[in-house]
Amino acid sequence: DAGITQSPRHKVTETGTPVTLRCHQTENHRYMYWYRQDPGHGLRLIHYSYGVKDTDKGEVSDGYSVSRSKTEDFLLTLESATSSQTSVYFCAISESGQGNGGEQYFGPGTRLTVT
Amino acid sequence: AQRVTQPEKLLSVFKGAPVELKCNYSYSGSPELFWYVQYSRQRLQLLLRHISRESIKGFTADLNKGETSFHLKKPFAQEEDSAMYYCALSAYNTDKLIFGTGTRLQVFP
């Protein structure tokens, strides 16, 4: 497995509380991505980063924010968690980005439950 | 808008039977297409990409621009092929992947 870790791996939280998920890589890859995986929806991109402090929105970015202050860390924050954000969250990294046919390497996932 | 459609949520076959997982896409330009696989208790990983025209674990996929399809095929399924399969598209000169909803393949002994 590529050097990608996610923390926490499991979290249960209450509606309205803030939550931060962390993705950490040791590959020095430029691109980092956050997805959510839901039955019937597959993987949907939340936000991605193409460099330190450079981020952009994906297709389901509402209710989420991200930050990347270091190459190796990409944080996903739910400012005020809602039950609709119960999901499995995956981080991925890529060396060259998709425009060059770059492969994405995925982390193990974080299972988040919002009660 | 770019879209990837995988019409089957579940595909069940017996060992040794041929397998075809369907993928259709919507994109006006020249796409890059991929198949990713997630085995039980493992991470999502790249299976193959159309530009390399490889055969990985006996799987092949041919890009058909006329039918806008990128179906994944294997002539003889094995039990270890049981997994979740995702088709994905990357539009030209973007850094993002668009995934389909996935097809779960079950191969029975």
Side-chain angles (χ1 to χ4, degrees):
Chain A
D1 291 332
I4 312 167
T5 56
Q6 292 183 230
S7 58
R9 294 291 315 279
H10 302 271
K11 186 169 183 66
V12 180
T13 191
E14 292 184 349
T15 299
T17 60
V19 176
T20 295
L21 308 183
R22 180 183 184 234
C23 177
H24 178 77
Q25 61 145 328
T26 58
E27 305 296 324
N28 201 35
H29 283 358
R30 177 182 174 190
Y31 295 85
M32 298 186 76
Y33 305 82
W34 276 109
Y35 294 91
R36 58 179 292 175
Q37 184 185 44
D38 303 288
H41 292 279
L43 280 92
R44 292 179 292 174
L45 182 65
I46 305 171
H47 283 281
Y48 73 103
S49 170
Y50 47 96
V52 174
K53 297 192 189 317
D54 292 323
T55 64
D56 203 353
K57 296 179 180 180
E59 64 177 304
V60 289
S61 59
D62 288 348
Y64 302 94
S65 62
V66 290
S67 67
R68 190 167 178 202
S69 58
K70 300 184 289 185
T71 299
E72 57 266 36
D73 288 325
F74 193 32
L75 304 180
L76 177 70
T77 298
L78 291 66
E79 301 292 345
S80 178
T82 67
S83 59
S84 64
Q85 293 176 311
T86 292
S87 186
V88 180
Y89 291 85
F90 287 97
C91 174
I93 65 174
S94 177
E95 186 173 15
S96 61
Q98 295 311 133
N100 295 317
E103 177 178 353
Q104 289 191 10
Y105 301 92
F106 283 79
T110 294
R111 185 173 296 276
L112 176 68
T113 302
V114 183
T115 61
Chain B
Q2 298 123 31
R3 180 187 291 271
V4 175
T5 302
Q6 294 181 250
E8 304 137 331
K9 288 186 178 179
L10 174 65
L11 184 63
S12 299
V13 300
F14 286 102
K15 176 183 174 181
V19 169
E20 181 178 69
L21 288 81
K22 291 184 167 51
C23 172
N24 288 90
Y25 67 90
S26 173
Y27 177 56
S28 58
S30 291
E32 292 188 46
L33 286 150
F34 306 80
W35 277 99
Y36 279 77
V37 60
Q38 188 174 27
Y39 300 103
S40 179
R41 299 186 185 86
Q42 294 187 28
R43 302 182 185 200
L44 196 68
Q45 59 188 283
L46 179 67
L47 180 63
L48 55 79
R49 70 191 90 187
H50 89 271
I51 57 173
S52 60
R53 302 184 66 81
E54 296 170 299
S55 172
I56 306 295
K57 299 185 179 183
F59 284 98
T60 59
D62 291 319
L63 176 60
N64 186 323
K65 292 187 176 181
E67 296 183 358
T68 59
S69 68
F70 187 56
H71 303 328
L72 184 67
K73 300 177 184 179
K74 185 169 184 177
F76 307 102
Q78 303 299 315
E79 290 179 66
E80 55 266 30
D81 296 328
S82 295
M84 192 73 174
Y85 291 80
Y86 290 98
C87 183
L89 173 151
S90 176
Y92 175 75
N93 208 27
T94 70
D95 299 317
K96 298 182 285 188
L97 277 178
I98 299 166
F99 284 87
T101 52
T103 297
R104 180 166 298 281
L105 174 65
Q106 289 182 333
V107 182
F108 295 108

